[in-house]
Amino acid sequence: MSSGRQVLYFKPCRYDRWSQALEVSLGEVMPGGEPPLLKHRRKLMRDEAIKLWAKKRRSGWQVCTP
């Protein structure tokens, strides 16, 4: 998802019967179509990642291609 200047990338990193975790990477969009510059990466449990996704969507972030 993207705000225009920044992007968030959600990637599953642990998925089993008892716990589900995602790696969330925050990057800055680079000019010229280069890959985003990584600024921050953290692991979140699935429910926390869903809350973050919803919060960003409410504040105007748009879903984009990876």
Coordinates of all heavy atoms in Angstrom, one line a residue:
M1 N 0.8 -1.2 0.0 CA 0.0 0.0 0.0 C 0.9 1.2 0.0 O 2.0 1.2 0.4 CB -1.0 -0.1 1.2 CG -0.5 0.1 2.5 SD -1.7 0.0 3.9 CE -3.2 -0.1 3.2
S2 N 0.4 2.3 -0.5 CA 1.2 3.5 -0.7 C 0.4 4.8 -0.3 O -0.8 4.9 -0.5 CB 1.6 3.6 -2.2 OG 2.3 4.8 -2.4
S3 N 1.2 5.8 0.2 CA 0.7 7.1 0.5 C 1.1 8.1 -0.6 O 0.8 9.3 -0.5 CB 1.1 7.6 1.9 OG 2.5 7.9 1.8
G4 N 1.8 7.6 -1.6 CA 2.3 8.5 -2.6 C 3.8 8.7 -2.4 O 4.6 8.6 -3.4
R5 N 4.3 9.0 -1.2 CA 5.7 9.1 -0.9 C 6.3 7.9 -0.2 O 7.5 7.6 -0.3 CB 5.9 10.3 0.0 CG 6.1 11.6 -0.7 CD 6.7 12.6 0.2 NE 8.1 12.2 0.3 CZ 9.1 13.1 0.6 NH1 8.8 14.3 0.8 NH2 10.3 12.7 0.8
Q6 N 5.5 7.2 0.5 CA 5.9 6.0 1.3 C 5.1 4.8 0.9 O 4.0 4.9 0.4 CB 5.8 6.2 2.8 CG 6.7 7.3 3.3 CD 6.5 7.5 4.8 OE1 5.4 7.3 5.4 NE2 7.6 7.9 5.5
V7 N 5.7 3.6 1.1 CA 5.0 2.4 0.8 C 5.2 1.4 2.0 O 6.2 1.5 2.7 CB 5.6 1.7 -0.4 CG1 5.2 2.4 -1.7 CG2 7.1 1.4 -0.4
L8 N 4.1 0.6 2.2 CA 4.2 -0.4 3.3 C 4.0 -1.7 2.5 O 3.1 -1.9 1.7 CB 3.0 -0.2 4.2 CG 3.2 0.6 5.5 CD1 1.9 0.7 6.3 CD2 4.3 0.0 6.3
Y9 N 4.8 -2.7 2.9 CA 4.8 -4.0 2.3 C 4.5 -5.1 3.4 O 5.3 -5.1 4.4 CB 6.1 -4.3 1.6 CG 6.2 -5.7 0.9 CD1 5.3 -6.0 -0.2 CD2 7.1 -6.6 1.4 CE1 5.4 -7.2 -0.8 CE2 7.1 -7.8 0.8 CZ 6.3 -8.2 -0.3 OH 6.4 -9.4 -0.9
F10 N 3.5 -5.8 3.3 CA 3.1 -6.9 4.3 C 3.5 -8.2 3.7 O 3.0 -8.6 2.6 CB 1.6 -6.8 4.6 CG 1.2 -5.6 5.2 CD1 0.9 -4.4 4.5 CD2 0.9 -5.6 6.6 CE1 0.5 -3.3 5.2 CE2 0.5 -4.4 7.2 CZ 0.3 -3.3 6.5
K11 N 4.3 -9.0 4.4 CA 4.7 -10.3 3.9 C 4.6 -11.3 5.1 O 5.2 -11.1 6.2 CB 6.2 -10.2 3.5 CG 6.8 -11.5 3.1 CD 8.3 -11.3 2.7 CE 9.0 -12.6 2.5 NZ 10.4 -12.5 2.4
P12 N 3.9 -12.4 4.9 CA 3.9 -13.5 5.9 C 5.3 -14.0 6.2 O 6.0 -14.3 5.3 CB 3.0 -14.5 5.3 CG 2.3 -13.9 4.1 CD 3.2 -12.8 3.7
C13 N 5.6 -14.1 7.5 CA 6.9 -14.7 7.9 C 6.7 -15.9 8.8 O 7.7 -16.7 8.9 CB 7.8 -13.6 8.5 SG 7.2 -13.0 10.0
R14 N 5.6 -16.0 9.5 CA 5.4 -17.2 10.3 C 3.9 -17.5 10.2 O 3.1 -16.6 10.6 CB 5.8 -17.1 11.7 CG 5.7 -18.3 12.5 CD 6.1 -18.1 13.9 NE 5.3 -17.1 14.6 CZ 5.7 -16.3 15.5 NH1 7.0 -16.3 15.9 NH2 4.9 -15.4 16.0
Y15 N 3.5 -18.7 9.8 CA 2.1 -19.0 9.7 C 1.9 -20.5 10.2 O 2.2 -21.4 9.4 CB 1.6 -18.8 8.3 CG 0.1 -18.8 8.1 CD1 -0.6 -17.7 8.2 CD2 -0.5 -20.0 7.8 CE1 -1.9 -17.7 8.1 CE2 -1.9 -20.0 7.7 CZ -2.6 -18.8 7.8 OH -4.0 -18.8 7.6
D16 N 1.5 -20.6 11.4 CA 1.2 -22.0 11.8 C -0.2 -22.0 12.6 O -0.9 -20.9 12.6 CB 2.3 -22.6 12.7 CG 2.6 -21.8 13.9 OD1 1.6 -21.2 14.6 OD2 3.8 -21.7 14.3
R17 N -0.5 -23.1 13.1 CA -1.9 -23.2 13.7 C -2.1 -22.3 14.9 O -3.2 -21.8 15.1 CB -2.0 -24.7 14.2 CG -3.4 -25.0 14.6 CD -3.5 -26.5 14.9 NE -4.8 -26.8 15.5 CZ -5.1 -28.0 15.8 NH1 -4.3 -29.0 15.6 NH2 -6.3 -28.2 16.3
W18 N -1.0 -22.0 15.7 CA -1.2 -21.2 16.9 C -0.8 -19.7 16.8 O -1.3 -18.9 17.6 CB -0.4 -21.9 18.0 CG -0.9 -23.2 18.3 CD1 -2.0 -23.6 19.1 CD2 -0.4 -24.5 17.7 NE1 -2.2 -24.9 19.0 CE2 -1.2 -25.5 18.2 CE3 0.6 -24.8 16.9 CZ2 -1.0 -26.8 17.9 CZ3 0.8 -26.1 16.5 CH2 0.0 -27.1 17.1
S19 N 0.0 -19.4 15.8 CA 0.4 -18.0 15.7 C 0.7 -17.7 14.2 O 1.2 -18.5 13.5 CB 1.7 -17.7 16.5 OG 2.8 -18.4 16.1
Q20 N 0.4 -16.4 13.9 CA 0.6 -15.9 12.6 C 1.3 -14.6 12.7 O 0.8 -13.7 13.4 CB -0.7 -15.8 11.8 CG -1.5 -17.1 11.7 CD -2.9 -16.9 11.3 OE1 -3.4 -15.8 11.0 NE2 -3.6 -18.0 11.1
A21 N 2.4 -14.4 12.0 CA 3.1 -13.2 12.1 C 3.4 -12.7 10.6 O 3.6 -13.5 9.7 CB 4.4 -13.4 12.8
L22 N 3.5 -11.4 10.5 CA 3.8 -10.8 9.2 C 5.0 -9.8 9.4 O 5.2 -9.2 10.5 CB 2.6 -10.0 8.7 CG 1.5 -10.8 8.2 CD1 0.5 -10.9 9.3 CD2 0.9 -10.1 7.0
E23 N 5.8 -9.7 8.4 CA 6.9 -8.8 8.3 C 6.4 -7.5 7.6 O 5.9 -7.6 6.5 CB 8.1 -9.4 7.6 CG 9.3 -8.5 7.5 CD 10.4 -9.1 6.8 OE1 11.2 -9.8 7.5 OE2 10.5 -9.0 5.6
V24 N 6.4 -6.4 8.2 CA 6.0 -5.1 7.7 C 7.2 -4.2 7.4 O 7.9 -3.9 8.3 CB 5.0 -4.4 8.6 CG1 4.5 -3.1 8.0 CG2 3.8 -5.3 8.9
S25 N 7.3 -3.9 6.1 CA 8.5 -3.0 5.7 C 7.9 -1.7 5.3 O 7.0 -1.6 4.5 CB 9.2 -3.7 4.5 OG 9.7 -4.9 4.9
L26 N 8.6 -0.6 5.7 CA 8.2 0.7 5.3 C 9.4 1.3 4.5 O 10.5 1.2 4.9 CB 8.1 1.6 6.6 CG 7.9 3.1 6.3 CD1 6.5 3.4 5.7 CD2 7.9 3.9 7.6
G27 N 9.0 1.8 3.3 CA 10.0 2.3 2.4 C 9.6 3.7 1.9 O 8.4 4.1 1.9
E28 N 10.6 4.4 1.3 CA 10.3 5.7 0.6 C 10.4 5.5 -0.9 O 11.4 4.9 -1.4 CB 11.4 6.7 1.1 CG 11.1 8.1 0.6 CD 12.1 9.0 1.2 OE1 12.5 8.9 2.4 OE2 12.6 9.9 0.5
V29 N 9.5 6.0 -1.6 CA 9.4 5.9 -3.0 C 10.6 6.7 -3.6 O 10.9 7.8 -3.2 CB 8.1 6.4 -3.6 CG1 8.1 6.4 -5.1 CG2 6.9 5.6 -3.1
M30 N 11.3 6.0 -4.5 CA 12.5 6.6 -5.2 C 12.1 7.1 -6.6 O 11.2 6.5 -7.2 CB 13.6 5.6 -5.3 CG 14.1 5.1 -3.9 SD 14.7 6.4 -2.8 CE 16.2 6.8 -3.7
P31 N 12.7 8.2 -7.1 CA 12.4 8.7 -8.4 C 12.9 7.7 -9.5 O 13.8 6.9 -9.2 CB 13.2 10.0 -8.5 CG 14.3 9.9 -7.4 CD 13.7 9.0 -6.4
G32 N 12.4 7.8 -10.6 CA 12.8 7.0 -11.8 C 12.4 5.6 -11.8 O 13.0 4.8 -12.5
G33 N 11.5 5.2 -10.9 CA 11.0 3.8 -10.9 C 11.9 2.8 -10.2 O 11.7 1.6 -10.3
E34 N 12.9 3.3 -9.5 CA 13.7 2.5 -8.7 C 12.9 1.8 -7.5 O 11.9 2.4 -7.1 CB 14.9 3.2 -8.1 CG 15.8 3.8 -9.2 CD 17.0 4.6 -8.6 OE1 17.4 4.2 -7.5 OE2 17.4 5.5 -9.2
P35 N 13.4 0.7 -7.0 CA 12.7 0.1 -5.9 C 12.7 1.0 -4.7 O 13.7 1.8 -4.5 CB 13.6 -1.2 -5.5 CG 14.3 -1.5 -6.8 CD 14.5 -0.1 -7.5
P36 N 11.7 0.9 -3.8 CA 11.6 1.8 -2.6 C 12.8 1.6 -1.7 O 13.4 0.5 -1.6 CB 10.3 1.4 -1.9 CG 9.5 0.8 -3.0 CD 10.5 0.1 -3.9
L37 N 13.3 2.7 -1.1 CA 14.4 2.7 -0.1 C 13.8 2.3 1.2 O 12.9 2.9 1.8 CB 15.0 4.1 0.0 CG 16.1 4.3 1.0 CD1 17.3 3.4 0.6 CD2 16.5 5.7 1.1
L38 N 14.4 1.2 1.7 CA 13.9 0.6 3.0 C 14.2 1.6 4.2 O 15.4 2.0 4.3 CB 14.6 -0.8 3.3 CG 14.2 -1.4 4.6 CD1 12.7 -1.8 4.6 CD2 15.0 -2.7 4.8
K39 N 13.2 1.9 5.0 CA 13.4 2.8 6.1 C 13.3 2.0 7.4 O 13.9 2.3 8.4 CB 12.4 3.9 6.1 CG 12.6 4.9 4.9 CD 13.9 5.7 5.2 CE 14.1 6.8 4.1 NZ 15.2 7.5 4.4
H40 N 12.3 1.1 7.5 CA 12.0 0.4 8.7 C 11.4 -1.0 8.4 O 10.6 -1.1 7.5 CB 11.1 1.3 9.5 CG 10.8 0.7 10.9 ND1 11.7 0.7 11.9 CD2 9.6 0.2 11.4 CE1 11.1 0.2 13.0 NE2 9.9 -0.2 12.7
R41 N 11.7 -2.0 9.2 CA 11.1 -3.3 9.1 C 10.8 -3.8 10.5 O 11.7 -3.7 11.4 CB 12.1 -4.2 8.4 CG 11.5 -5.6 8.2 CD 12.5 -6.5 7.4 NE 12.5 -6.1 6.0 CZ 13.6 -6.3 5.2 NH1 14.6 -6.9 5.7 NH2 13.5 -5.9 4.0
R42 N 9.6 -4.4 10.6 CA 9.3 -5.0 11.9 C 8.3 -6.2 11.7 O 7.7 -6.3 10.7 CB 8.7 -4.0 12.9 CG 7.4 -3.4 12.4 CD 6.9 -2.4 13.3 NE 5.7 -1.7 12.7 CZ 4.9 -0.9 13.3 NH1 5.2 -0.6 14.6 NH2 3.9 -0.4 12.8
K43 N 8.3 -7.0 12.7 CA 7.3 -8.2 12.7 C 6.1 -7.8 13.6 O 6.3 -7.3 14.7 CB 8.0 -9.4 13.2 CG 9.0 -10.0 12.3 CD 9.6 -11.3 12.8 CE 10.6 -11.8 11.8 NZ 11.2 -13.0 12.3
L44 N 5.0 -8.1 13.1 CA 3.7 -7.9 13.8 C 2.9 -9.2 13.8 O 2.9 -9.9 12.8 CB 2.9 -6.8 13.2 CG 3.4 -5.4 13.1 CD1 2.5 -4.5 12.4 CD2 3.6 -4.9 14.5
M45 N 2.1 -9.4 14.8 CA 1.2 -10.5 14.9 C 0.1 -10.1 13.9 O -0.2 -9.0 13.6 CB 0.7 -10.8 16.3 CG 1.8 -11.2 17.2 SD 2.7 -12.6 16.6 CE 1.5 -13.9 16.7
R46 N -0.6 -11.1 13.4 CA -1.7 -10.9 12.4 C -2.7 -9.9 12.8 O -3.0 -9.0 12.0 CB -2.3 -12.3 12.1 CG -3.4 -12.2 11.0 CD -3.9 -13.6 10.7 NE -4.9 -13.5 9.6 CZ -6.2 -13.4 9.7 NH1 -6.7 -13.3 10.9 NH2 -7.0 -13.3 8.7
D47 N -3.2 -10.0 14.0 CA -4.2 -9.0 14.4 C -3.7 -7.6 14.5 O -4.4 -6.6 14.1 CB -4.9 -9.4 15.8 CG -3.9 -9.5 16.9 OD1 -2.7 -9.8 16.6 OD2 -4.3 -9.4 18.1
E48 N -2.4 -7.4 14.9 CA -1.8 -6.0 14.9 C -1.6 -5.5 13.4 O -1.8 -4.3 13.2 CB -0.5 -6.1 15.6 CG -0.6 -6.4 17.0 CD 0.8 -6.7 17.7 OE1 1.7 -7.0 16.9 OE2 0.9 -6.6 18.9
A49 N -1.3 -6.4 12.5 CA -1.1 -6.0 11.1 C -2.4 -5.6 10.5 O -2.5 -4.7 9.7 CB -0.4 -7.2 10.3
I50 N -3.5 -6.3 10.8 CA -4.8 -6.0 10.3 C -5.2 -4.6 10.8 O -5.7 -3.8 10.0 CB -5.8 -7.1 10.7 CG1 -5.6 -8.3 9.9 CG2 -7.3 -6.6 10.4 CD1 -6.4 -9.5 10.3
K51 N -4.9 -4.3 12.1 CA -5.3 -3.0 12.6 C -4.5 -1.9 11.9 O -5.0 -0.8 11.6 CB -5.0 -3.0 14.1 CG -6.0 -3.8 14.9 CD -5.6 -3.8 16.4 CE -6.5 -4.7 17.2 NZ -6.1 -4.8 18.6
L52 N -3.2 -2.1 11.7 CA -2.3 -1.2 11.0 C -2.8 -0.9 9.6 O -2.9 0.2 9.1 CB -0.9 -1.7 10.9 CG 0.1 -0.8 10.2 CD1 0.2 0.6 10.8 CD2 1.5 -1.5 10.1
W53 N -3.2 -2.0 8.9 CA -3.7 -1.9 7.5 C -5.0 -1.0 7.5 O -5.1 -0.1 6.7 CB -4.1 -3.3 7.0 CG -4.7 -3.3 5.6 CD1 -6.0 -3.2 5.4 CD2 -4.1 -3.5 4.4 NE1 -6.3 -3.3 4.0 CE2 -5.1 -3.5 3.4 CE3 -2.8 -3.8 4.0 CZ2 -4.8 -3.7 2.0 CZ3 -2.5 -3.9 2.6 CH2 -3.5 -3.9 1.7
A54 N -5.9 -1.3 8.4 CA -7.2 -0.5 8.5 C -6.9 0.9 8.8 O -7.5 1.8 8.2 CB -8.1 -1.2 9.5
K55 N -6.0 1.2 9.7 CA -5.6 2.6 10.1 C -5.1 3.3 8.9 O -5.5 4.5 8.7 CB -4.6 2.5 11.3 CG -4.2 3.9 11.7 CD -3.1 3.7 12.8 CE -2.5 5.1 13.2 NZ -1.5 4.9 14.2
K56 N -4.2 2.7 8.2 CA -3.6 3.4 7.0 C -4.6 3.6 5.9 O -4.6 4.7 5.3 CB -2.4 2.5 6.4 CG -1.2 2.4 7.4 CD -0.6 3.8 7.6 CE 0.6 3.7 8.5 NZ 1.2 5.0 8.7
R57 N -5.5 2.6 5.7 CA -6.6 2.8 4.7 C -7.5 4.0 5.1 O -7.9 4.8 4.2 CB -7.4 1.6 4.6 CG -6.7 0.4 3.9 CD -6.6 0.6 2.4 NE -7.9 0.5 1.8 CZ -8.1 0.9 0.6 NH1 -7.2 1.4 -0.2 NH2 -9.3 0.8 0.1
R58 N -7.8 4.1 6.4 CA -8.7 5.2 6.8 C -8.0 6.6 6.6 O -8.6 7.6 6.4 CB -9.1 5.1 8.3 CG -10.2 4.1 8.5 CD -10.7 4.2 9.9 NE -9.7 3.9 11.0 CZ -9.3 2.8 11.4 NH1 -9.9 1.7 11.0 NH2 -8.4 2.7 12.4
S59 N -6.6 6.6 6.7 CA -5.9 7.9 6.6 C -5.6 8.2 5.1 O -4.8 9.1 4.9 CB -4.7 7.8 7.5 OG -3.7 6.9 7.0
G60 N -6.1 7.4 4.2 CA -5.9 7.7 2.8 C -4.9 6.9 2.0 O -4.7 7.2 0.8
W61 N -4.2 5.9 2.6 CA -3.3 5.1 1.9 C -4.1 4.2 0.9 O -5.2 3.8 1.1 CB -2.5 4.2 2.8 CG -1.4 4.9 3.6 CD1 -1.6 6.0 4.4 CD2 -0.1 4.6 3.7 NE1 -0.5 6.4 5.0 CE2 0.5 5.6 4.6 CE3 0.7 3.7 3.1 CZ2 1.9 5.6 4.8 CZ3 2.1 3.7 3.4 CH2 2.7 4.6 4.2
Q62 N -3.4 4.0 -0.3 CA -4.1 3.2 -1.4 C -3.3 1.9 -1.6 O -2.1 1.8 -1.4 CB -4.1 4.0 -2.7 CG -4.8 5.3 -2.6 CD -6.3 5.1 -2.4 OE1 -6.9 4.2 -3.0 NE2 -6.9 5.9 -1.6
V63 N -4.1 0.8 -1.9 CA -3.5 -0.4 -2.3 C -2.7 -0.3 -3.6 O -3.3 0.3 -4.5 CB -4.5 -1.5 -2.3 CG1 -3.9 -2.9 -2.8 CG2 -5.2 -1.7 -1.0
C64 N -1.5 -0.8 -3.7 CA -0.8 -0.7 -4.9 C -0.1 -2.1 -5.2 O -0.2 -3.0 -4.4 CB 0.3 0.4 -4.8 SG 1.5 0.1 -3.6
T65 N 0.5 -2.2 -6.4 CA 1.2 -3.4 -6.7 C 2.5 -3.5 -6.0 O 3.1 -2.5 -5.7 CB 1.5 -3.5 -8.2 OG1 2.3 -2.4 -8.6 CG2 0.2 -3.5 -9.0
P66 N 3.0 -4.7 -5.6 CA 4.2 -4.8 -4.9 C 5.4 -4.4 -5.7 O 5.4 -4.4 -6.9 CB 4.4 -6.3 -4.6 CG 3.1 -7.0 -5.1 CD 2.3 -6.0 -5.8

